[in-house]
Amino acid sequence: MDIATSSDDEEPPKLNLVGYLVGNAATDDRYDTGGKVPFMHGMGLISDELYEAAKQGCGGDFYVAPDPTNARCASAMMAINMVTFAVNPVHILEPFCGAAVRAGGGSIFQGYGGGARRSMLVRDDVRHPGFFAKQRLGLPVECRDNGYRLSYIWADDPEVREALGILEGSIGSWSRCTMLSHYRHDVTTVIPYHVNLTKAGYRALVYNGDHDLDMTFVGTQEWIRSIGYPIVSDWRPWFANRQVAGFTRTYAHNLTFATVKGGGHTAPEYRPKECQAMLDRWTSEAGQL
């Protein structure tokens, strides 16, 4: 049997990287947070009066951090939080049944000014004996949380852990959306990375499930505008299975923005066929949605 060997001075194989895509991605808090109130208004979650009160009280620009001493702005934001805190932040049309994250792991959802209240709603104690009780798993079928809960049973099964190559005692029980306390977020914006990569010739697809309140398509469009790239192909629908699956716009330097109609924070989870069509079309020779 021949065994291939390599010398120490041989160069490692190079990746043929031609582009990248990101979906509902945290990019820059100024835009990620700033897009929430306009999104709520556009989606009919808050009234015109609440929106105007916040707009006037906060200086008309949600993309600038409000002055903490501005009582008028704080009051308007509190009023907005009070009427939206029970809305599912990762898909505003779905029931808010929970997040099925382990106790102590914190919440993956942070609303505009409403982190504490929202955290109380979504935190589940997986270690509690009743977590997998029949009455907990007996949530209505429309609760996506049911599948998340069952994933704990699958992922912690000894045969599954063995198949995944997890050495016994090397790591604790599995948890979805684990918050790693020993890491800290020290990059406040990744917009310069998008600029560097696209100007270097890499293609980029930036997409948003259009019903996500956590990372809104409104905020994403705003940070893309901040780059200042000219529009090459303006706003138009894109199709999957002869139906409108979302809307798209193409910018200079091969930057494409797209919405996934009806999608939530993890768009392929909610619209798998449409997202597969989007990926196939974007990676095709034509490269257009």
Side-chain angles (χ1 to χ4, degrees), residues 43-66:
M43 287 293 188
L45 301 182
I46 60 175
S47 67
D48 292 343
E49 289 78 10
L50 273 176
Y51 179 66
E52 288 301 325
K55 205 168 151 185
Q56 294 174 19
C58 299
D61 188 353
F62 296 110
Y63 301 99
V64 176

Side-chain angles (χ1 to χ4, degrees), residues 67-256:
D67 181 352
T69 64
N70 184 342
R72 191 178 171 195
C73 178
S75 176
M77 296 313 302
M78 179 62 73
I80 288 175
N81 181 64
M82 290 299 292
V83 298
T84 60
F85 77 92
V87 173
N88 187 337
V90 295
H91 197 300
I92 63 170
L93 298 184
E94 291 209 349
F96 198 5
C97 303
V101 294
R102 290 194 183 277
S107 167
I108 59 169
F109 303 133
Q110 295 297 326
Y112 192 102
R117 179 178 282 104
R118 188 153 283 158
S119 296
M120 287 192 292
L121 281 171
V122 302
R123 188 180 291 116
D124 282 321
D125 190 351
V126 179
R127 294 173 295 189
H128 190 277
F131 183 82
F132 295 117
K134 207 173 269 187
Q135 63 267 28
R136 297 297 295 276
L137 288 175
L139 293 168
V141 291
E142 64 267 22
C143 287
R144 198 169 293 269
D145 180 59
N146 274 347
Y148 297 157
R149 291 172 185 277
L150 291 171
S151 67
Y152 283 87
I153 300 173
W154 175 84
D156 278 342
D157 182 272
E159 291 185 4
V160 172
R161 289 172 68 91
E162 183 181 356
L164 292 173
I166 300 172
L167 298 176
E168 189 173 350
S170 65
I171 193 170
S173 296
W174 177 84
S175 178
R176 63 182 301 271
C177 301
T178 302
M179 309 302 278
L180 302 174
S181 57
H182 52 285
Y183 286 98
R184 62 187 178 87
H185 290 278
D186 55 2
V187 177
T188 58
T189 178
V190 297
I191 294 175
Y193 296 92
H194 286 292
V195 173
N196 291 341
L197 288 169
T198 51
K199 284 190 174 180
Y202 295 106
R203 299 178 59 229
L205 171 61
V206 180
Y207 68 89
N208 279 76
D210 64 5
H211 280 69
D212 179 25
L213 173 55
D214 199 32
M215 296 294 163
T216 70
F217 70 89
V218 178
T220 298
Q221 288 186 92
E222 196 63 32
W223 74 251
I224 291 176
R225 287 190 198 100
S226 76
I227 295 175
Y229 285 174
I231 295 172
V232 174
S233 176
D234 211 347
W235 194 263
R236 63 174 177 81
W238 64 274
F239 294 82
N241 195 28
R242 295 184 293 181
Q243 298 296 321
V244 175
F247 296 86
T248 184
R249 175 183 277 159
T250 306
Y251 294 84
H253 301 289
N254 288 314
L255 171 62
T256 299

